[in-house]
Structure formats: C-alpha cells, structure tokens
C-alpha cells in the first residue's frame, strides 16, 4: 500500500514539474497577447520579414551551442574524461531541446548522453555543468553591470521626458504586470527549491557528492585557461549577435542601436531563467516592455517577440532532432567499425 502511495506521489510530482512551467508560460503569454490580432504577425512573417538577416542570425545561434560543446569537452579533460567532440556538441543540442519539455532538464540529459556513449561518470560531468553555470552567471552579472552603467542615462531621460513617475504602492498592487512578475519570481524560487531537493538526494548517495565536487573543481586544472576564456566570450558574443541581428529583419526595429539590443538582451536573459519552456511568456513580456522603452509601438514589439521567439525555438527543436539522430548514427557506426 505504501509503495503504491509513494508511486502515486512521484507520478504527481513529475506531472506537476511538466505541467506547471507550461501553465505559467501559457498564462503570461495569454495575458501579454490578449486581444492581439495574430493576422498582423502572420502578415509580417510572410511579407515583412527579411529572411537573409534571419538565417544569418540563426547561424550564430548554432555557433553558440557548438562552442559550448567545445568548452564542455575542455572542462572534462582534467577528469581524465575524453568524449568525442561530436558527442559533446550533439549532447548540447539535445539538452536545449529537452529543456523545452521540462525546464532545466537539459543539464541532466547531456550528462546522461556522455555516460551512455562515452562511459563518463554522470556525477563528474554534472559537476562540470555546475561549473559552467557559475561561469555563465558571472558573465551575466558583468554584462548586466556594464549595460546598466552605459544605459542608465537613457532610462532617466525617458522618465523625465515622458513625465513618468514611480508608481505608488496601491497602483503597483492593482497592476496585472506586478502579479506576472511575482509569478515569475515564484517560478524561480520553485526551481531553486527543486535544485535543493535534488542536491539533498545526492547527499544521501555515498560518493556522489565527491564526484560532483571533483567535476566542479575541474576548472582549476584546465590546461588552456586563455582558450576557456575565449570560448566563454565567444559563446556570449554569439548569443548577443544571434539576438541583435534579428533587429534588421523588420522595418520597425532596424533603427535600434547596439546598446538598445544590449538592454533587451540582458532583460531577456534574466527572463529565460524563469522555468517556462525556452522562457516563453516572461521573455515576451521583457522584450516587449523594453522595446516600447525605445519607441517601438506595442503591436510591433509584440510581433517582433512572437516571430523571433518562435523561430529561435524552432531552431532549438531542429538542432535537438539532429543531435539525437547524429548521436545514434555516429556511435552506431563506431560500434560496428570496432567489431
């Protein structure tokens, strides 16, 4: 009886982990696009999109993931783990696609892929992923600090010219946007809770934490630190260019500056942290709000967010499918050749 109850509880938890992010993202998308005329977005997609720029931007989206695979392989080498480069890259492709189904599932899936195909310790590779996330967090903090310092006068001027004042507490509590942001914050807290629960589980497994810690500390023994730093810079530069080039795809955004793109890039990066599929909902909310700050009307901003997010998500799906097929084909070929 107890086993049945435990099994039911696990099923409920797994179901909630799958459904809640979708519900959260769906609710925010519904609110952001309530009353929106989607035929306008379709018209822009079919007749108002400069596809040359769009495909050019997608190349940098692919490049960011490829370089992340190269960097991951570099952090595994100090652990005496030498996976095939193609496996690392394809594992990254699959991990991004997996996160569309269950947010943050990608970190687990890519470690599982290397364990399956290259027999690398799951715990050790998970430690290197934790290290990557810490490095990425540092990059986000540095980029955010630089962006705020560079664009603070823009925000101040905007508030002075429009006569906008900081809303009162009463107005804040009656604003739907306040509750959307509150839901996003709660989503992040829920994600942290699950991560802590996962960590507490690992602590109960003998030896696992030591292997994870070994993976975390692998950065100290990376042979070529300048190359690691170069990879890191190229990853984030590729992410930014991937986003910035989409401005040139539409007549209503092609005038926006690099600094404007930087502000929206930072806002979008924080929005993606919210555990919804590929940041759906929070990302749209952040981009639309910030784009309006730079003079783009609400309808055009909504069209931009809808099309760009949709196409970039489609790219993630295609790369995930390619990664799965490539992993199966390349490793099956290797197995056959060794027989």
């Amino acid at each position: 009886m107890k086993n049945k109850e435990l099994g039911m509880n696990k099923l409920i938890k797994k179901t909630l982990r799958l459904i809640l992010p979708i519900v959260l993202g769906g609710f925010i998308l519904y609110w952001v696009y309530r009353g929106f005329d989607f035929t306008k977005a379709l018209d822009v997609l079919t007749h108002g999109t400069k596809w040359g720029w769009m495909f050019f931007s997608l190349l940098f989206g692919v490049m960011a993931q490829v370089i992340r695979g190269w960097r991951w392989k570099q952090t595994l080498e100090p652990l005496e783990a030498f996976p095939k480069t193609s496996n690392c890259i394809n594992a990254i492709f699959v991990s991004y696609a997996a996160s569309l189904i269950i947010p943050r599932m990608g970190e687990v899936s890519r470690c599982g892929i290397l364990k399956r195909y290259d027999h690398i310790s799951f715990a050790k590779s998970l430690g290197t992923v934790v290290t990557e996330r810490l490095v990425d967090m540092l990059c986000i903090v540095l980029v955010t600090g630089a962006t705020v310092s560079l664009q603070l006068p823009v925000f101040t001027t905007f508030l002075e010219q429009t006569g906008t004042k900081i809303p009162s507490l009463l107005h804040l509590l009656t604003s739907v946007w306040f509750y959307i942001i509150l839901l996003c914050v709660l989503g992040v807290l829920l994600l942290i809770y699950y991560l802590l629960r996962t960590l507490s589980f690992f602590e109960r497994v003998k030896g696992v934490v030591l292997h994870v810690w070994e993976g975390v500390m692998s950065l100290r023994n990376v042979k070529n630190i300048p190359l690691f730093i170069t990879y890191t810079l190229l990853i984030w530069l590729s992410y930014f260019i991937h986003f910035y080039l989409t401005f040139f795809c539409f007549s209503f955004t092609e005038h926006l500056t690099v600094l404007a793109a930087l502000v929206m890039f930072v806002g979008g990066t924080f929005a993606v942290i919210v555990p919804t599929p590929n940041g759906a909902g929070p990302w749209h909310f952040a981009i639309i709000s910030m784009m309006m700050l730079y003079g783009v009307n609400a309808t055009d901003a909504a069209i931009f967010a809808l099309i760009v997010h949709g196409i970039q998500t489609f790219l993630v799906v295609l790369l995930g499918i390619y990664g799965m097929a490539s992993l199966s084909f390349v490793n099956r070929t290797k197995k056959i050749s060794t027989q």
Side-chain angles (χ1 to χ4, degrees):
M1 192 67 177
K2 289 184 178 179
N3 289 335
K4 288 184 178 180
E5 290 179 355
L6 289 174
M8 183 60 68
N9 289 336
K10 288 181 179 180
L11 179 61
I12 292 173
K13 288 180 180 179
K14 288 181 179 180
T15 303
L16 288 175
R17 286 181 61 188
L18 178 63
I19 293 177
L20 285 179
I22 297 175
V23 171
L24 175 61
F27 169 76
I28 297 173
L29 278 174
Y30 167 76
W31 185 261
V32 170
Y33 285 95
R34 69 194 188 284
F36 180 76
D37 185 359
F38 288 93
T39 58
K40 293 182 178 179
L42 181 61
D43 182 62
V44 172
L45 178 66
T46 54
H47 301 103
T49 302
K50 301 172 185 176
W51 288 101
W53 282 108
M54 184 64 76
F55 288 124
F56 189 32
S57 76
L58 294 179
L59 289 177
F60 287 92
V62 176
M63 184 56 64
Q65 295 192 37
V66 170
I67 298 173
R68 187 174 285 278
W70 294 344
R71 189 182 69 172
W72 190 27
K73 180 178 181 180
Q74 189 185 21
T75 59
L76 287 165
E77 290 175 354
L79 303 176
E80 299 299 321
F82 303 98
K84 292 203 296 290
T85 302
S86 62
N87 283 351
C88 289
I89 295 172
N90 287 322
I92 295 294
F93 289 162
V94 173
S95 71
Y96 275 81
S99 292
L100 294 178
I101 302 172
I102 302 177
R104 309 308 171 215
M105 186 64 184
E107 284 82 351
V108 176
S109 67
R110 62 163 153 152
C111 296
I113 287 171
L114 287 196
K115 180 174 177 59
R116 176 182 178 184
Y117 292 112
D118 290 298
H119 310 293
I120 293 173
S121 166
F122 180 90
K124 288 183 179 180
S125 60
L126 182 62
T128 62
V129 172
V130 173
T131 301
E132 279 191 8
R133 289 293 170 246
L134 293 174
V135 172
D136 289 338
M137 187 180 299
L138 176 61
C139 291
I140 292 172
V141 170
L142 293 175
V143 172
T144 301
T147 302
V148 170
S149 64
L150 288 171
Q151 288 290 272
L152 185 59
V154 174
F155 289 107
T156 304
T157 302
F158 173 80
L159 294 174
E160 291 176 351
Q161 290 180 350
T162 59
T164 305
K165 297 180 180 179
I166 298 175
S168 64
L169 180 61
L170 179 61
H171 180 268
L172 184 65
L173 293 176
T174 56
S175 171
V176 177
W177 297 116
F178 168 76
Y179 290 102
I180 290 177
I181 295 173
L182 180 62
L183 282 173
C184 293
V185 172
L186 290 176
V188 173
L189 292 177
L190 184 63
L191 172 63
I192 294 173
Y193 169 76
Y194 277 119
L195 289 175
L196 291 175
R197 285 290 299 273
T198 303
L199 182 60
S200 67
F201 168 76
F202 281 136
E203 288 176 347
R204 294 196 296 269
V205 183
K206 184 178 179 180
V208 171
V209 172
L210 293 177
H211 287 309
V212 172
W213 181 249
E214 186 179 352
V216 171
M217 299 306 293
S218 65
L219 186 59
R220 295 188 309 171
N221 300 316
V222 168
K223 293 181 180 179
N224 193 336
I225 292 295
L227 180 61
F228 179 87
I229 295 173
T230 301
Y231 281 157
T232 301
L233 294 176
L234 286 176
I235 288 169
W236 285 95
L237 180 62
S238 295
Y239 281 144
F240 174 71
I241 296 175
H242 178 43
F243 173 70
Y244 175 55
L245 290 180
T246 59
F247 284 6
F248 298 99
C249 297
F250 311 99
S251 60
F252 48 79
T253 55
E254 61 185 0
H255 67 283
L256 295 174
T257 65
V258 172
L259 289 178
L262 193 58
V263 170
M264 296 176 211
F265 175 72
V266 168
T269 300
F270 278 101
V272 171
I273 296 175
V274 180
T276 63
N278 202 28
W283 190 87
H284 296 76
F285 167 67
I287 297 301
I288 293 171
S289 301
M290 292 180 173
M291 194 163 279
M292 290 172 64
L293 185 71
Y294 285 90
V296 179
N297 68 66
T299 299
D300 289 340
I303 291 172
F304 174 89
L306 192 64
I307 293 176
V308 170
H309 187 272
I311 292 176
Q312 291 184 350
T313 300
F314 184 63
L315 173 66
V316 171
V317 173
L318 286 181
L319 290 177
I321 294 172
Y322 167 81
M324 287 292 293
S326 180
L327 282 166
S328 177
F329 176 77
V330 170
N331 291 282
R332 182 177 60 185
T333 303
K334 177 185 176 183
K335 185 177 180 180
I336 293 173
S337 63
T338 56
Q339 290 178 346

